[in-house]
Amino acid sequence: MLEHFFKLKTAGATVRTEVLGGITTFVTMAYIIVLNPAILAAAGIPIGASTVATILTAAFGSILMAFIANRPYAVAPYMGENAFIAFGLSTLAVTVTWQMRLGTVFVAGALFLVLTIFGARQWLAKSISTSLKHSFSVGIGLFLAFIGLYETGIVVSGIEGTPMSIADNKLGFLTNPPVPLKIGHFDDPKVLLAMGGFLLMAVLLQRRIYGAILIGMVLTAVGGGILGFASAPKGIAAMPFKGDYSLAPIAFHLDLTHIWTLSLAPIILTLLVMSLLDTTGTLVGLGVGTKESEDEVADLQRPMLVDSIACMFAGLVGTSTSGVFIESATGIKEGAKTGLAALVVGLLFLASLFFIPLVSPLQSLGFAYGPALILVGLLMLGSAKKIAFDDLTEAVPAFATIAMMVFSYNIANGLTAGLVLSPLMKLAAGRYRDITPGAVVLGLLCLSYFVFGLRH
């Protein structure tokens, strides 16, 4: 049966290596069970139900990948997209409920599915320059790192406390402090725990310990428990879909009625582009061919199809945009070559549904999961090496993307700014041939975000 579904002999794989690869991949990406619900809690999504939705989405996507694409690629809610859903929409002038946010996730997934089926994915992906693609990764990485630094208290707001007095202000009116951010309280044991947790995760990762991030979170939480800052799990196992772990509060509660406004269009566009680039970049990074032969296009199409369906599933059950995880590379290094490894990952996620109480305490401990956000952000900064800083037509849009994402505290601002500036810089430099129709379409769509006063 396994040979029939996964063509093990053709791939030169064995059941043993596929199972080992699947286990390895699961261990390295299991941290998402803790981080994703902890992040989405900022959007008002109940953390217990969110945990179940996260696990179900990972299981569904990974198992779908196994049988549709026969690839050893695990699927789960993306880091970056979840931060955009939770934090990036908090400054909107209009209220965006979590139900509306889930609606945008579903619609973006549906659009991704249409683009994949009709082959437009490649047209759009090619319209975005290499430098700009990598600037998205760098900007999102810094955005995640900033959230982690703030959640842990390593960096705090400079606007806290009493405004400057009139006597200190020559203009004669009250103002906020001149520095929006400042260093945190390093005499706070929780801050020190977070810093130690980050170093621990980094060392474990450097020594190639599988599950480094999850192990680091657990050990940091244990340290916090010893110091009296955390409580032990209330239990080891529990039945899913009941009580605090019922999906009823969020499943199928997505709002598809109130999201069809011009002010929310950039949100859908941002999720679509982020998912498109994350999936494309991850698949290429995992070894999918990038040439245009029919076989290689088909290889890329099937994982893309799975990703788009998984995104729609995520919106339905109550979580953020999902896609192929780069952590699948650890399983591939262990010999995984077929969808059997992805099936193992999916089954392990399903099994984890019964052990949610074991990880639940981690989701409320900023000093434990915050360092993981910083480290994930750090790992995304490697893309900066592929930005052509010696070419200003590439560097200016890339810089604007990164700066606007971080300094305006909004991923959409950076993404749209970069897409607008990219064709404009090429035009100003007289390099008309470098401007693709897709770049013009994306640029005009993003320009409407700023021209019509929808920015936030």
Side-chain angles (χ1 to χ4, degrees), residues 125 128 132-133 136 272-282:
I128 303 172
L132 197 55
K133 290 175 185 176
F136 295 160
L272 177 63
V273 174
M274 287 173 69
S275 182
L276 177 76
L277 296 180
D278 276 345
T279 300
T280 303
T282 302

Side-chain angles (χ1 to χ4, degrees), residues 5 13 21 52 55 93 126 139 180 208 265 271 281 336-337 367-368 396 421 425:
F5 281 117
V52 175
I55 294 172
K126 287 180 180 178
R208 302 183 185 280
L271 287 173
K337 298 178 180 179
F367 63 82
V396 170
L421 286 173
M425 287 299 297

Side-chain angles (χ1 to χ4, degrees), residues 400-447:
T401 296
I402 297 167
M404 291 297 288
M405 279 189 184
V406 180
F407 300 131
S408 73
Y409 196 60
N410 194 300
I411 292 173
N413 287 342
L415 185 144
T416 49
L419 289 173
V420 169
L421 286 173
S422 183
L424 286 179
M425 287 299 297
K426 297 293 184 184
L427 182 64
R431 291 163 55 175
Y432 311 106
R433 294 182 180 179
D434 292 342
I435 304 174
T436 64
V440 174
V441 170
L442 288 173
L444 290 175
L445 285 173
C446 293
L447 187 60

Side-chain angles (χ1 to χ4, degrees), residues 39-45 81-109 253-259 264 267-268 271 311 314-316 318-321 409-410 456:
I39 291 172
L40 294 180
I45 301 178
E81 279 84 337
N82 54 10
F84 173 63
I85 289 293
F87 299 101
L89 306 182
S90 60
T91 55
L92 270 172
V94 294
T95 300
V96 184
T97 65
W98 62 262
Q99 292 91 341
M100 293 168 65
R101 301 179 198 212
L102 294 180
T104 62
V105 170
F106 179 85
V107 171
H253 283 275
L254 66 167
D255 185 347
L256 295 175
T257 303
H258 300 96
I259 62 173
L264 297 184
I267 299 173
I268 297 174
L271 287 173
C311 284
L316 289 173
T319 191
S320 54
T321 306
Y409 196 60
N410 194 300
H456 54 278

Side-chain angles (χ1 to χ4, degrees), residues 141-361:
L142 288 172
F143 188 82
L144 288 174
F146 174 68
I147 293 172
L149 289 168
Y150 200 84
E151 289 283 315
T152 56
I154 295 174
V155 170
V156 297
S157 172
I159 304 177
E160 293 176 340
T162 305
M164 295 173 64
S165 67
I166 294 178
D168 295 330
N169 188 341
K170 296 179 181 179
L171 297 178
F173 54 83
L174 294 175
T175 63
N176 286 325
V179 180
L181 296 170
K182 62 182 181 181
I183 198 167
H185 304 288
F186 280 18
D187 56 347
D188 185 341
K190 292 182 181 178
V191 175
L192 296 177
L193 270 172
M195 295 168 66
F198 171 77
L199 291 175
L200 174 61
M201 293 176 197
V203 170
L204 292 175
L205 202 61
Q206 174 64 32
R207 297 184 68 86
R208 302 183 185 280
I209 304 297
Y210 294 128
I213 294 177
L214 182 61
I215 293 172
M217 283 194 290
V218 171
L219 292 179
T220 305
V222 170
I226 294 174
L227 295 176
F229 301 129
S231 56
K234 295 180 180 178
I236 296 177
M239 288 298 295
F241 311 114
K242 292 184 178 182
D244 291 339
Y245 306 125
S246 171
L247 264 182
I250 61 174
F252 303 103
H253 283 275
L254 66 167
D255 185 347
L256 295 175
T257 303
H258 300 96
I259 62 173
W260 304 105
T261 63
L262 193 58
S263 61
L264 297 184
I267 299 173
I268 297 174
L269 177 64
T270 298
L271 287 173
L272 177 63
V273 174
M274 287 173 69
S275 182
L276 177 76
L277 296 180
D278 276 345
T279 300
T280 303
T282 302
L283 289 174
V284 171
L286 291 174
V288 175
T290 56
K291 296 181 181 179
E292 294 303 313
S293 71
E294 291 184 5
D295 289 342
E296 288 169 328
V297 169
D299 281 344
L300 193 60
Q301 288 278 86
R302 286 192 291 269
M304 283 279 184
L305 186 65
V306 171
D307 265 12
S308 58
I309 296 173
C311 284
M312 296 172 67
F313 180 86
L316 289 173
V317 298
T319 191
S320 54
T321 306
S322 64
V324 175
F325 254 50
I326 193 64
E327 281 82 355
S328 302
T330 59
I332 293 172
K333 289 179 182 179
E334 290 297 317
K337 298 178 180 179
T338 74
L340 179 55
L343 176 61
V344 171
V345 174
L347 294 176
L348 287 173
F349 269 111
L350 286 178
S352 69
L353 278 171
F354 297 91
F355 300 97
I356 295 177
L358 200 59
V359 300
S360 290

